[in-house]
Amino acid sequence: QVQLVESGGGLVNPGGSLTLSCVASGNIFVIYAMGWYRQPPGKQREFVAAAPSGDTTAYADSVKGRFTVSRDSAKNTVYLQMNGLKPEDTAVYYCNANVLTTRGERGNYWGQGTQVTVSS
């Protein structure tokens, strides 16, 4: 199996910054893509940012210019640097990875989520 563990969430004032980390471990042969989703209170889970491979990145319009996603492939880790945080960024943030396992199975895996609260 594959496990994703997020860290770095917390409470921050509007305009502040946080950095989330997510480490993948387990029966990993190849990680094709890693990224972040979030679920605001009372809403559905939504895409935030992704780092498919190399230097390629993608962002939701709502976070462009404020959030930066990056990967350390050697460490099976993806980061989300969040600057200029707004109350509407409050959500549970989930790490996602598209993985080919050592058993030859490919699938999407999710972390347990980390809470980010933006409030004064």
Side-chain angles (χ1 to χ4, degrees):
Q1 284 293 344
V2 176
Q3 298 81 39
L4 303 180
V5 179
E6 302 107 334
S7 61
L11 174 64
V12 63
N13 290 328
S17 299
L18 280 176
T19 299
L20 306 182
S21 301
C22 171
V23 181
S25 62
N27 300 326
I28 298 169
F29 184 67
V30 174
I31 299 180
Y32 291 105
M34 296 186 80
W36 295 91
Y37 288 70
R38 67 186 182 187
Q39 187 164 14
K43 297 183 179 181
Q44 292 187 336
R45 192 174 297 188
E46 62 186 23
F47 169 76
V48 176
S53 62
D55 295 329
T56 303
T57 56
Y59 297 93
D61 288 343
S62 59
V63 306
K64 281 182 182 177
R66 299 187 298 123
F67 291 10
T68 302
V69 64
S70 60
R71 278 179 69 175
D72 185 336
S73 296
K75 296 181 179 179
N76 289 341
T77 300
V78 64
Y79 305 94
L80 186 67
Q81 172 68 45
M82 304 184 291
N83 298 324
L85 282 161
K86 305 175 181 180
E88 51 263 42
D89 294 318
T90 294
V92 178
Y93 283 71
Y94 295 91
C95 176
N96 173 268
N98 187 263
V99 176
L100 178 66
T101 71
T102 54
R103 297 182 178 183
E105 300 166 336
R106 183 170 179 176
N108 278 315
Y109 295 86
W110 295 90
Q112 80 286 354
T114 185
Q115 177 70 47
V116 172
T117 301
V118 184
S119 175
S120 55

